[in-house]
Amino acid sequence: FSILCNGLMAFSLNIVSFQTNKVAGALTVSVCGNLKQCLTILLGIVLFAVTVTPLNGVGMLITVLGAAYYSKVELDRKRAAAPK
């Protein structure tokens, strides 16, 4: 039963994700994904009272910037491949 429920939820998530991408567009989905990463990090720091050292901060910044850059490169690649 739990495997069936898990499968149905995963299928539903994919349907919703495709519909969102159609309606909002790839750029919006990409920006929202990066914002979600930032908010997850900040919420984790606040909720778990994590002490952020300068080294941790630089590491998180590099990771978030890398994810944002990757999203930009992928979006540019998809736009270039799209029929005009």
Side-chain angles (χ1 to χ4, degrees):
F1 176 73
S2 58
I3 291 175
L4 179 66
C5 287
N6 189 13
L8 287 173
M9 286 192 295
F11 180 75
S12 300
L13 176 65
N14 283 332
I15 298 274
V16 169
S17 181
F18 289 132
Q19 290 298 325
T20 302
N21 203 5
K22 267 195 231 176
V23 172
L27 179 61
T28 303
V29 172
S30 179
V31 169
C32 289
N34 289 326
L35 179 63
K36 180 187 77 164
Q37 285 181 341
C38 293
L39 291 177
T40 300
I41 291 168
L42 289 175
L43 190 61
I45 290 169
V46 171
L47 285 179
F48 300 114
V50 175
T51 303
V52 180
T53 65
L55 185 61
N56 293 107
V58 169
M60 287 186 280
L61 182 65
I62 289 171
T63 302
V64 170
L65 290 176
Y69 181 70
Y70 177 77
S71 295
K72 181 193 176 310
V73 169
E74 280 296 309
L75 184 63
D76 290 344
R77 185 182 65 82
K78 286 181 183 178
R79 281 188 182 156
K84 294 179 182 187

Coordinates of all heavy atoms in Angstrom, one line a residue:
F1 N 0.8 -1.2 0.0 CA 0.0 0.0 0.0 C 0.9 1.3 0.0 O 0.6 2.2 -0.7 CB -1.0 0.0 1.2 CG -1.8 1.2 1.3 CD1 -2.8 1.5 0.5 CD2 -1.5 2.2 2.3 CE1 -3.6 2.6 0.6 CE2 -2.3 3.3 2.4 CZ -3.3 3.6 1.6
S2 N 1.9 1.3 0.8 CA 2.7 2.5 0.9 C 3.5 2.7 -0.4 O 3.8 3.8 -0.8 CB 3.7 2.4 2.1 OG 4.5 1.3 2.1
I3 N 4.0 1.6 -1.0 CA 4.7 1.7 -2.3 C 3.7 2.3 -3.4 O 4.1 3.2 -4.1 CB 5.2 0.4 -2.8 CG1 6.4 0.0 -1.8 CG2 5.7 0.5 -4.2 CD1 7.0 -1.4 -2.1
L4 N 2.5 1.9 -3.3 CA 1.5 2.4 -4.3 C 1.2 3.9 -4.0 O 1.2 4.7 -5.0 CB 0.2 1.6 -4.2 CG -1.0 2.1 -5.1 CD1 -0.6 1.8 -6.5 CD2 -2.3 1.4 -4.7
C5 N 1.1 4.3 -2.8 CA 0.9 5.7 -2.4 C 2.1 6.5 -2.8 O 1.9 7.6 -3.4 CB 0.6 5.8 -0.9 SG -1.0 5.3 -0.5
N6 N 3.3 6.0 -2.6 CA 4.5 6.7 -3.0 C 4.6 6.9 -4.5 O 4.9 7.9 -5.0 CB 5.7 5.9 -2.4 CG 7.0 6.7 -2.6 OD1 7.0 7.9 -2.9 ND2 8.1 6.0 -2.5
G7 N 4.2 5.8 -5.2 CA 4.2 5.9 -6.7 C 3.2 6.9 -7.2 O 3.5 7.7 -8.1
L8 N 2.0 6.9 -6.6 CA 1.0 7.9 -7.0 C 1.4 9.3 -6.7 O 1.2 10.3 -7.5 CB -0.3 7.6 -6.3 CG -1.1 6.4 -6.9 CD1 -2.3 6.1 -6.0 CD2 -1.5 6.6 -8.3
M9 N 2.1 9.6 -5.6 CA 2.5 10.9 -5.2 C 3.6 11.3 -6.2 O 3.7 12.5 -6.6 CB 3.0 11.0 -3.8 CG 1.9 11.0 -2.8 SD 2.3 11.4 -1.1 CE 3.4 10.0 -0.7
A10 N 4.6 10.4 -6.5 CA 5.6 10.8 -7.4 C 5.1 11.1 -8.8 O 5.5 12.1 -9.5 CB 6.7 9.6 -7.5
F11 N 4.1 10.3 -9.3 CA 3.5 10.6 -10.6 C 2.8 11.9 -10.6 O 2.9 12.7 -11.5 CB 2.5 9.5 -10.9 CG 1.8 9.6 -12.2 CD1 2.4 9.4 -13.4 CD2 0.5 10.0 -12.2 CE1 1.8 9.5 -14.6 CE2 -0.2 10.2 -13.4 CZ 0.5 10.0 -14.6
S12 N 2.1 12.2 -9.5 CA 1.4 13.5 -9.4 C 2.3 14.7 -9.4 O 2.1 15.7 -10.0 CB 0.5 13.5 -8.1 OG -0.5 12.5 -8.1
L13 N 3.5 14.5 -8.7 CA 4.5 15.5 -8.6 C 5.0 15.8 -10.0 O 5.2 17.0 -10.4 CB 5.6 15.1 -7.7 CG 6.8 16.1 -7.6 CD1 6.3 17.4 -7.0 CD2 7.9 15.5 -6.8
N14 N 5.3 14.8 -10.8 CA 5.7 15.0 -12.2 C 4.7 15.7 -13.0 O 5.1 16.6 -13.8 CB 6.1 13.6 -12.8 CG 7.4 13.1 -12.3 OD1 8.3 13.9 -11.9 ND2 7.6 11.8 -12.3
I15 N 3.4 15.3 -12.9 CA 2.4 16.0 -13.7 C 2.3 17.5 -13.3 O 2.3 18.4 -14.2 CB 1.0 15.4 -13.4 CG1 1.0 13.9 -13.8 CG2 -0.1 16.2 -14.0 CD1 0.6 13.7 -15.2
V16 N 2.3 17.8 -12.0 CA 2.3 19.2 -11.6 C 3.5 19.9 -12.1 O 3.4 21.1 -12.5 CB 2.1 19.3 -10.0 CG1 2.3 20.7 -9.5 CG2 0.8 18.7 -9.6
S17 N 4.7 19.3 -12.0 CA 5.9 20.0 -12.4 C 5.9 20.3 -13.9 O 6.3 21.4 -14.3 CB 7.1 19.0 -12.1 OG 8.3 19.6 -12.5
F18 N 5.4 19.4 -14.7 CA 5.3 19.7 -16.2 C 4.3 20.8 -16.5 O 4.6 21.7 -17.3 CB 5.0 18.4 -16.9 CG 6.1 17.4 -17.0 CD1 5.8 16.1 -16.7 CD2 7.3 17.8 -17.3 CE1 6.8 15.1 -16.8 CE2 8.4 16.8 -17.4 CZ 8.1 15.5 -17.1
Q19 N 3.2 20.8 -15.8 CA 2.2 21.8 -16.0 C 2.7 23.2 -15.5 O 2.5 24.2 -16.2 CB 0.9 21.5 -15.2 CG 0.2 20.3 -15.8 CD -0.3 20.6 -17.2 OE1 -0.7 21.7 -17.6 NE2 -0.3 19.5 -18.0
T20 N 3.4 23.2 -14.4 CA 4.0 24.5 -13.9 C 5.0 25.0 -14.9 O 5.1 26.2 -15.2 CB 4.7 24.3 -12.6 OG1 3.7 23.8 -11.6 CG2 5.3 25.5 -12.0
N21 N 5.8 24.1 -15.5 CA 6.9 24.5 -16.4 C 6.2 25.1 -17.7 O 6.7 26.0 -18.3 CB 7.8 23.3 -16.8 CG 9.1 23.8 -17.3 OD1 9.4 25.0 -17.3 ND2 9.9 22.8 -17.7
K22 N 5.1 24.5 -18.1 CA 4.4 25.0 -19.3 C 3.8 26.4 -19.0 O 3.9 27.3 -19.9 CB 3.2 24.1 -19.6 CG 3.5 23.0 -20.6 CD 2.2 22.5 -21.1 CE 2.3 21.0 -21.0 NZ 1.0 20.3 -21.4
V23 N 3.2 26.6 -17.9 CA 2.5 27.8 -17.6 C 3.5 29.0 -17.2 O 3.4 30.1 -17.7 CB 1.5 27.6 -16.4 CG1 0.9 29.0 -15.9 CG2 0.4 26.7 -16.8
A24 N 4.5 28.7 -16.3 CA 5.4 29.7 -15.8 C 6.6 29.9 -16.7 O 7.1 31.0 -16.7 CB 5.8 29.4 -14.4
G25 N 7.1 28.9 -17.3 CA 8.3 29.0 -18.1 C 9.5 28.5 -17.4 O 9.5 28.5 -16.1
A26 N 10.5 28.1 -18.1 CA 11.7 27.5 -17.6 C 12.5 28.5 -16.7 O 13.0 28.2 -15.7 CB 12.6 27.0 -18.7
L27 N 12.5 29.8 -17.1 CA 13.3 30.8 -16.3 C 12.7 31.0 -14.9 O 13.4 31.0 -13.9 CB 13.4 32.1 -17.1 CG 14.1 33.2 -16.3 CD1 15.5 32.8 -16.1 CD2 14.0 34.5 -17.1
T28 N 11.4 31.1 -14.9 CA 10.7 31.2 -13.6 C 10.9 30.0 -12.7 O 11.2 30.2 -11.5 CB 9.2 31.5 -13.8 OG1 9.0 32.6 -14.7 CG2 8.5 31.7 -12.5
V29 N 10.8 28.9 -13.2 CA 11.0 27.6 -12.4 C 12.5 27.6 -11.9 O 12.7 27.2 -10.8 CB 10.7 26.4 -13.3 CG1 11.1 25.1 -12.6 CG2 9.2 26.4 -13.6
S30 N 13.4 28.0 -12.8 CA 14.8 28.0 -12.4 C 15.1 29.0 -11.3 O 15.8 28.7 -10.3 CB 15.7 28.4 -13.6 OG 17.0 28.4 -13.3
V31 N 14.5 30.2 -11.4 CA 14.7 31.2 -10.4 C 14.1 30.8 -9.0 O 14.7 30.9 -8.0 CB 14.1 32.6 -10.8 CG1 14.0 33.6 -9.7 CG2 14.9 33.1 -12.0
C32 N 12.9 30.2 -9.1 CA 12.3 29.7 -7.9 C 13.0 28.6 -7.2 O 13.1 28.5 -6.0 CB 10.8 29.2 -8.2 SG 9.7 30.6 -8.6
G33 N 13.7 27.7 -8.0 CA 14.5 26.7 -7.5 C 15.7 27.2 -6.8 O 16.1 26.7 -5.7
N34 N 16.3 28.2 -7.3 CA 17.5 28.9 -6.6 C 17.0 29.6 -5.4 O 17.7 29.5 -4.3 CB 18.2 29.8 -7.6 CG 18.9 29.1 -8.6 OD1 19.5 28.0 -8.4 ND2 19.0 29.7 -9.8
L35 N 15.9 30.2 -5.4 CA 15.4 30.9 -4.2 C 15.0 29.9 -3.1 O 15.3 30.1 -1.9 CB 14.1 31.7 -4.6 CG 13.4 32.4 -3.4 CD1 14.3 33.5 -2.8 CD2 12.1 33.1 -3.9
K36 N 14.5 28.7 -3.5 CA 14.2 27.7 -2.6 C 15.5 27.2 -1.9 O 15.5 26.9 -0.7 CB 13.5 26.5 -3.3 CG 13.2 25.3 -2.3 CD 12.6 24.1 -3.1 CE 13.8 23.5 -3.7 NZ 13.6 22.1 -4.2
Q37 N 16.6 27.0 -2.6 CA 17.8 26.6 -2.0 C 18.3 27.6 -1.0 O 18.7 27.2 0.1 CB 18.9 26.5 -3.1 CG 18.8 25.2 -3.9 CD 19.9 25.1 -5.0 OE1 20.6 26.1 -5.3 NE2 20.1 24.0 -5.5
C38 N 18.2 28.9 -1.3 CA 18.7 29.9 -0.4 C 17.8 29.9 0.9 O 18.3 30.0 2.0 CB 18.6 31.3 -1.0 SG 19.8 31.5 -2.4
L39 N 16.5 29.8 0.7 CA 15.6 29.8 1.9 C 15.8 28.6 2.7 O 15.7 28.6 4.0 CB 14.2 30.0 1.4 CG 13.8 31.3 0.8 CD1 12.4 31.3 0.3 CD2 14.0 32.4 1.8
T40 N 16.1 27.4 2.1 CA 16.3 26.2 2.8 C 17.5 26.3 3.7 O 17.5 26.0 4.9 CB 16.4 25.0 1.9 OG1 15.2 24.9 1.1 CG2 16.7 23.7 2.6
I41 N 18.6 26.9 3.2 CA 19.8 27.1 3.9 C 19.6 28.1 5.1 O 19.9 27.8 6.2 CB 20.9 27.7 3.0 CG1 21.4 26.6 2.0 CG2 22.1 28.2 3.8 CD1 22.3 27.1 0.9
L42 N 18.9 29.2 4.8 CA 18.6 30.2 5.9 C 17.7 29.6 7.0 O 18.0 29.8 8.1 CB 18.0 31.4 5.3 CG 19.0 32.3 4.5 CD1 18.2 33.5 3.8 CD2 20.1 32.8 5.3
L43 N 16.7 28.9 6.6 CA 15.8 28.3 7.5 C 16.5 27.3 8.4 O 16.3 27.2 9.6 CB 14.6 27.7 6.8 CG 13.4 27.3 7.7 CD1 12.8 28.4 8.4 CD2 12.3 26.6 6.8
G44 N 17.4 26.5 7.8 CA 18.1 25.5 8.5 C 19.0 26.1 9.5 O 19.2 25.7 10.7
I45 N 19.6 27.2 9.2 CA 20.5 28.0 10.1 C 19.7 28.5 11.3 O 20.1 28.4 12.4 CB 21.3 29.1 9.4 CG1 22.3 28.5 8.4 CG2 21.9 30.1 10.4 CD1 22.9 29.6 7.5
V46 N 18.5 29.1 11.0 CA 17.7 29.6 12.1 C 17.1 28.6 12.9 O 17.2 28.6 14.2 CB 16.6 30.5 11.4 CG1 15.6 31.0 12.5 CG2 17.2 31.8 10.8
L47 N 16.5 27.5 12.3 CA 15.8 26.5 13.1 C 16.8 25.7 14.0 O 16.4 25.3 15.1 CB 15.1 25.6 12.2 CG 13.8 26.1 11.6 CD1 13.2 25.0 10.7 CD2 12.8 26.5 12.7
F48 N 18.0 25.4 13.5 CA 18.9 24.5 14.2 C 20.0 25.3 14.9 O 20.9 24.7 15.4 CB 19.4 23.4 13.3 CG 18.4 22.6 12.6 CD1 18.1 22.6 11.3 CD2 17.6 21.7 13.4 CE1 17.1 21.9 10.7 CE2 16.6 21.0 12.9 CZ 16.4 21.0 11.5
A49 N 19.9 26.6 14.9 CA 20.8 27.5 15.6 C 22.3 27.1 15.2 O 23.1 26.9 16.1 CB 20.6 27.4 17.1
V50 N 22.5 27.0 13.9 CA 23.8 26.7 13.4 C 24.7 27.9 13.5 O 24.3 29.0 13.0 CB 23.7 26.1 12.0 CG1 25.1 25.9 11.4 CG2 22.9 24.9 11.9
T51 N 25.9 27.7 14.0 CA 26.9 28.8 13.9 C 27.6 28.8 12.6 O 28.2 27.8 12.2 CB 27.9 28.7 15.1 OG1 27.2 28.6 16.3 CG2 28.9 29.8 15.1
V52 N 27.5 29.9 11.9 CA 28.1 29.9 10.5 C 29.4 30.7 10.6 O 29.5 31.8 10.9 CB 27.1 30.6 9.5 CG1 27.8 30.7 8.2 CG2 25.8 29.9 9.5
T53 N 30.5 29.9 10.4 CA 31.8 30.5 10.4 C 32.0 31.1 9.0 O 31.3 30.8 8.1 CB 32.9 29.4 10.6 OG1 32.9 28.5 9.6 CG2 32.6 28.7 12.0
P54 N 33.0 32.0 8.9 CA 33.3 32.6 7.6 C 33.6 31.5 6.5 O 33.1 31.7 5.4 CB 34.6 33.4 7.8 CG 34.5 33.8 9.2 CD 33.9 32.6 9.9
L55 N 34.2 30.4 6.9 CA 34.5 29.4 5.9 C 33.2 28.7 5.4 O 33.0 28.4 4.3 CB 35.4 28.3 6.5 CG 35.9 27.2 5.5 CD1 36.6 27.8 4.3 CD2 36.7 26.2 6.3
N56 N 32.2 28.5 6.4 CA 30.9 27.9 6.0 C 30.2 28.9 5.1 O 29.5 28.4 4.2 CB 30.1 27.7 7.3 CG 30.6 26.6 8.2 OD1 31.1 26.9 9.2 ND2 30.5 25.3 7.8
G57 N 30.2 30.2 5.5 CA 29.5 31.2 4.7 C 30.0 31.2 3.2 O 29.2 31.3 2.3
V58 N 31.4 31.2 3.1 CA 31.9 31.2 1.7 C 31.5 29.9 1.0 O 31.2 30.0 -0.2 CB 33.5 31.3 1.8 CG1 34.1 31.1 0.4 CG2 33.9 32.7 2.3
G59 N 31.5 28.8 1.6 CA 31.1 27.5 1.0 C 29.7 27.6 0.5 O 29.4 27.1 -0.6
M60 N 28.8 28.1 1.4 CA 27.4 28.2 1.0 C 27.2 29.1 -0.2 O 26.4 28.9 -1.1 CB 26.6 28.6 2.2 CG 26.4 27.5 3.2 SD 25.3 27.9 4.5 CE 26.3 28.9 5.6
L61 N 27.9 30.2 -0.1 CA 27.8 31.2 -1.2 C 28.3 30.6 -2.5 O 27.6 30.8 -3.6 CB 28.7 32.5 -0.8 CG 28.6 33.6 -1.9 CD1 27.2 34.2 -2.0 CD2 29.6 34.7 -1.5
I62 N 29.4 29.9 -2.5 CA 29.9 29.3 -3.7 C 28.9 28.3 -4.3 O 28.7 28.2 -5.5 CB 31.3 28.6 -3.5 CG1 32.4 29.7 -3.3 CG2 31.7 27.7 -4.6 CD1 33.7 29.2 -2.8
T63 N 28.3 27.5 -3.3 CA 27.4 26.5 -3.8 C 26.1 27.1 -4.4 O 25.7 26.7 -5.5 CB 27.0 25.6 -2.6 OG1 28.1 25.0 -2.0 CG2 26.0 24.6 -3.0
V64 N 25.6 28.1 -3.8 CA 24.4 28.8 -4.3 C 24.7 29.5 -5.6 O 23.9 29.4 -6.6 CB 23.8 29.8 -3.3 CG1 22.8 30.7 -3.9 CG2 23.3 29.1 -2.1
L65 N 25.9 30.2 -5.7 CA 26.2 30.8 -7.0 C 26.5 29.8 -8.1 O 26.1 30.0 -9.2 CB 27.5 31.7 -6.8 CG 27.3 32.9 -6.0 CD1 28.6 33.7 -5.8 CD2 26.3 33.9 -6.6
G66 N 27.1 28.6 -7.7 CA 27.3 27.6 -8.7 C 26.0 27.0 -9.2 O 25.8 26.8 -10.4
A67 N 25.0 26.8 -8.3 CA 23.7 26.3 -8.7 C 23.0 27.3 -9.6 O 22.4 27.0 -10.6 CB 22.8 26.0 -7.5
A68 N 23.1 28.6 -9.3 CA 22.5 29.7 -10.1 C 23.1 29.7 -11.5 O 22.5 29.8 -12.5 CB 22.6 31.0 -9.4
Y69 N 24.5 29.6 -11.5 CA 25.2 29.6 -12.8 C 24.8 28.4 -13.7 O 24.6 28.6 -14.9 CB 26.7 29.7 -12.6 CG 27.5 29.8 -13.9 CD1 27.5 30.9 -14.7 CD2 28.2 28.7 -14.3 CE1 28.2 31.0 -15.8 CE2 29.0 28.7 -15.5 CZ 28.9 29.9 -16.2 OH 29.6 29.9 -17.4
Y70 N 24.7 27.3 -13.0 CA 24.3 26.1 -13.8 C 22.9 26.2 -14.4 O 22.7 25.9 -15.5 CB 24.4 24.9 -12.8 CG 23.9 23.6 -13.5 CD1 24.7 22.9 -14.4 CD2 22.6 23.1 -13.3 CE1 24.3 21.7 -15.0 CE2 22.2 21.9 -13.9 CZ 23.0 21.3 -14.7 OH 22.6 20.1 -15.4
S71 N 22.0 26.8 -13.6 CA 20.7 27.0 -14.1 C 20.7 27.9 -15.3 O 20.0 27.7 -16.3 CB 19.8 27.6 -13.0 OG 19.6 26.7 -12.0
K72 N 21.5 29.0 -15.2 CA 21.6 30.0 -16.3 C 22.1 29.3 -17.6 O 21.6 29.4 -18.7 CB 22.5 31.1 -16.0 CG 22.6 32.2 -17.1 CD 23.7 33.1 -16.8 CE 23.9 34.1 -17.9 NZ 24.0 33.6 -19.2
V73 N 23.2 28.5 -17.4 CA 23.8 27.8 -18.6 C 22.8 26.8 -19.2 O 22.7 26.8 -20.4 CB 25.1 27.1 -18.1 CG1 25.6 26.2 -19.2 CG2 26.2 28.1 -17.8
E74 N 22.1 26.1 -18.4 CA 21.1 25.1 -18.9 C 20.0 25.8 -19.6 O 19.6 25.4 -20.7 CB 20.6 24.3 -17.8 CG 21.5 23.2 -17.3 CD 21.7 22.1 -18.4 OE1 20.7 21.6 -19.0 OE2 22.8 21.8 -18.7
L75 N 19.6 27.0 -19.1 CA 18.5 27.7 -19.7 C 18.9 28.3 -21.0 O 18.2 28.2 -22.0 CB 18.0 28.8 -18.8 CG 16.8 29.6 -19.3 CD1 15.6 28.7 -19.4 CD2 16.5 30.8 -18.3
D76 N 20.1 28.8 -21.1 CA 20.7 29.3 -22.3 C 20.8 28.2 -23.4 O 20.5 28.4 -24.6 CB 22.0 30.0 -22.1 CG 21.9 31.3 -21.3 OD1 20.8 31.8 -21.2 OD2 23.0 31.8 -20.8
R77 N 21.3 27.1 -22.9 CA 21.4 25.9 -23.9 C 20.1 25.5 -24.4 O 19.9 25.2 -25.6 CB 22.1 24.8 -23.1 CG 22.4 23.6 -24.0 CD 23.0 22.4 -23.2 NE 22.1 21.9 -22.3 CZ 21.2 21.0 -22.5 NH1 21.0 20.5 -23.7 NH2 20.4 20.5 -21.6
K78 N 19.1 25.5 -23.6 CA 17.7 25.1 -24.0 C 17.1 26.1 -25.0 O 16.5 25.8 -25.9 CB 16.8 24.8 -22.8 CG 17.1 23.6 -22.1 CD 16.1 23.4 -20.9 CE 16.5 22.1 -20.2 NZ 15.7 21.9 -19.0
R79 N 17.4 27.4 -24.7 CA 16.9 28.4 -25.6 C 17.5 28.3 -26.9 O 16.9 28.5 -28.0 CB 17.1 29.8 -25.0 CG 16.1 30.2 -23.9 CD 16.3 31.6 -23.5 NE 15.4 32.0 -22.4 CZ 15.6 32.9 -21.6 NH1 16.7 33.7 -21.7 NH2 14.8 33.2 -20.7
A80 N 18.8 28.0 -26.9 CA 19.6 28.0 -28.2 C 19.1 26.8 -29.0 O 19.1 26.8 -30.3 CB 21.1 27.9 -28.0
A81 N 18.7 25.7 -28.4 CA 18.3 24.5 -29.1 C 16.8 24.5 -29.5 O 16.4 23.8 -30.3 CB 18.5 23.3 -28.2
A82 N 16.0 25.5 -28.9 CA 14.6 25.6 -29.2 C 14.4 26.0 -30.7 O 15.1 26.9 -31.2 CB 13.9 26.5 -28.3
P83 N 13.4 25.5 -31.4 CA 13.2 26.0 -32.7 C 12.6 27.4 -32.7 O 11.9 27.8 -31.8 CB 12.1 25.0 -33.2 CG 11.5 24.4 -32.0 CD 12.5 24.4 -30.9
K84 N 13.0 28.1 -33.7 CA 12.6 29.6 -33.7 C 11.5 29.8 -34.7 O 11.2 29.2 -35.6 CB 13.8 30.4 -34.0 CG 14.8 30.4 -32.9 CD 16.0 31.2 -33.2 CE 17.0 31.0 -32.1 NZ 18.1 31.8 -32.1

